[in-house]
Amino acid sequence: MKANDWEAPKGTKTFLHAKSISKSYGGLKAVSEVDLKIHRGEVVALVGDNGAGKSTLIKMLSGVISPDRGAIEIDGQPIRFLGPSDARTAGIETLHQHLGLVEVFNVPENIFLGQELTRRRLGIFKGLDHAKMRRLTEELLRRVDLRLPSLDQPVKAMSGGQRQAVAITRMLLNEVHLLIMDEPMAALGVDEGRKVLDLIVTLRERELSTLIISHNLEHVFAIADRIAVMKNGELISVVNTRETTSDEVVGMIVSGRSYKEA
Ligand SMILES: Nc1ncnc2c1ncn2[C@@H]1O[C@H](COP(=O)(O)OP(=O)(O)OP(=O)(O)O)[C@@H](O)[C@H]1O
Ligand SMILES: [Mg+2]
């Protein structure tokens, strides 16, 4: 069986289906006819060497760039993203490596950045509703079991893991079905990386799906339901984490061949 033919257990719904999508830069096929399904409530890890096409693939799924060929379906319906806001409307949020936080802002200010809540004062002037933003921030943090030392500190005073928690919490402000993360743990210490992993597991319990790029196979094996391996723009294999080993995954990353076909 080709691993990509893997069928989800009965009752599992597909949220997103990338149907044979491709993207070339000049003569270089950065992503070549990749077919990948992401089901509701599953964590898929995307692995592969540098330049394998991982970031290019997730940029297409998050509306940053458009595929040259192929189609994307959400809940079985074809959809075209003209930009990241279209993907966000469809319930796809992406955590980029730079996180996009404003250093001098505190937690609620960062969470509501660009979508601040306002209220009328004296019936005329519109002002920011700080109390409500703070209340909703506390609520969101509680929902994902996150504790931060202080909401009023500017985020520049926070650790890498705490900032990441703020960035992830912000993604949950809108109705989100799929979180996409490009190397979220790369810059974190062991403890902080572990917290992000825990958070992904918490979110999965809430039927949220995650697509995560990581070079750290230990992390991948700790959280992923399936592992998608890319090389030279191609999706080599998608395997069930429980049915593979680290050695097999490394073998596929290096050889570009599915061990099941070997
Ligand atoms: N905007 C671009 N213009 C030209 N070539 C690009 C562009 N973006 C990516 N590429 C090329 O496409 C290929 C895939 O790149 P991509 O960034 O998707 O790889 P990756 O798997 O994310 O690698 P890494 O693990 O190093 O982040 C690479 O050869 C890269 O040089
Ligand atoms: Mg990349």
Side-chain angles (χ1 to χ4, degrees), residues 32-188:
S32 181
E33 294 176 22
V34 165
D35 204 283
L36 179 67
K37 284 181 181 171
I38 297 174
H39 306 291
R40 286 190 182 269
E42 78 165 342
V43 178
V44 177
L46 187 56
V47 300
D49 264 339
N50 297 116
K54 306 179 296 295
S55 293
T56 305
L57 175 61
I58 67 155
K59 279 183 196 158
M60 290 191 273
L61 304 184
S62 56
V64 175
I65 55 174
S66 300
D68 299 331
R69 281 195 310 279
I72 296 173
E73 286 181 1
I74 301 280
D75 287 327
Q77 300 296 317
I79 194 161
R80 280 192 61 191
F81 300 141
L82 298 178
S85 65
D86 285 350
R88 187 165 297 138
T89 305
I92 300 171
E93 290 279 348
T94 308
L95 184 70
H96 299 283
Q97 273 183 291
H98 55 264
L99 298 182
L101 300 177
V102 178
E103 296 276 290
V104 294
F105 281 5
N106 69 20
V107 177
E109 285 164 347
N110 265 294
I111 293 206
F112 284 89
L113 193 68
Q115 36 190 340
E116 291 85 357
L117 303 178
T118 54
R119 72 187 167 101
R120 295 199 179 279
R121 279 175 220 257
L122 307 173
I124 314 165
F125 304 112
K126 261 193 168 176
L128 292 180
D129 194 342
H130 290 291
K132 190 167 183 191
M133 288 192 275
R134 196 188 157 92
R135 206 171 58 243
L136 288 176
T137 299
E138 285 169 350
E139 214 174 286
L140 273 179
L141 289 168
R142 236 191 338 267
R143 227 171 67 197
V144 291
D145 289 324
L146 276 177
R147 262 166 284 276
L148 293 172
S150 157
L151 296 190
D152 304 310
Q153 255 181 343
V155 298
K156 69 175 176 208
M158 295 185 171
S159 73
Q162 290 163 345
R163 287 153 182 254
Q164 202 135 27
V166 174
I168 292 174
T169 308
R170 184 172 60 187
M171 299 199 290
L172 305 176
L173 196 57
N174 304 309
E175 196 182 345
V176 45
H177 299 297
L178 172 63
L179 290 182
I180 299 180
M181 306 186 186
D182 197 343
E183 288 279 349
M185 275 91 67
L188 300 182

Side-chain angles (χ1 to χ4, degrees), residues 207-218:
E207 282 291 283
L208 230 115
S209 314
T210 302
L211 177 62
I212 180 171
I213 295 180
S214 178
H215 282 108
N216 184 326
L217 287 186
E218 204 182 307

